[in-house]
Amino acid sequence: MKNLILAVALSAALVPTAASDVSGPKKIPVQKPEQTLELGPITVPINEAVPVKFPDAIAGVSLGSPYVANVVVHDKHLMFITGRAYGMTSLHVVDEKGNVIATTTVNVVGVNETRLVVNKGGSDYSMQCAPKCKAAPDIGDNTDYVTTITEQATILSKED
């Protein structure tokens, strides 16, 4: 199952009938929910997941940019949002009838107090310093640095 679940509830109005006019655009009736949940902006630390609970059942979610954040629906009332890249994107949640029950923005930020970024010759080199400083490449770091650390991590993960 892919981490990003995109679901769109389609109404029967989208299915053309034999009597419908196929020459022009179709008007689709928009169902407005009786109540839309006000979430306010959701702040998610990069590379971390934040749980979001809903009182009503969730049928699907849509993100404006899956490059900024990722959503996994755990069950009908709980989903997790993971920060993938710094930035902001929109989030829309629909119910089983296709009504938008929540809409908000997701802000992905870096809020780690133990992170150190060294700038050397105009390039950034990120480290995690708890308890000792170790390489922890991040978005925007020197490309060679990120590649080297990623290759080393891949080699280490293959060892038994």
Side-chain angles (χ1 to χ4, degrees), residues 61-95:
V61 297
S62 175
L63 278 170
S65 176
Y67 300 108
V68 173
N70 190 24
V71 174
V72 174
V73 177
H74 177 71
D75 61 32
K76 290 186 175 186
H77 297 281
L78 177 64
M79 70 179 183
F80 292 91
I81 303 173
T82 302
R84 297 185 69 191
Y86 299 111
M88 180 176 69
T89 190
S90 60
L91 171 70
H92 305 280
V93 181
V94 296
D95 65 11

Side-chain angles (χ1 to χ4, degrees), residues 13-97:
L14 291 176
V15 179
T17 62
S20 65
D21 179 12
V22 292
S23 62
K26 305 287 184 255
K27 288 188 179 182
I28 301 170
V30 177
Q31 296 179 356
K32 294 191 179 192
E34 294 178 18
Q35 187 176 25
T36 301
L37 185 62
E38 295 292 329
L39 293 178
I42 299 172
T43 301
V44 180
I46 194 161
N47 297 324
E48 292 188 26
V50 171
V52 181
K53 291 185 180 183
F54 290 89
D56 297 326
I58 309 168
V61 297
S62 175
L63 278 170
S65 176
Y67 300 108
V68 173
N70 190 24
V71 174
V72 174
V73 177
H74 177 71
D75 61 32
K76 290 186 175 186
H77 297 281
L78 177 64
M79 70 179 183
F80 292 91
I81 303 173
T82 302
R84 297 185 69 191
Y86 299 111
M88 180 176 69
T89 190
S90 60
L91 171 70
H92 305 280
V93 181
V94 296
D95 65 11
E96 293 171 347
K97 295 178 183 176

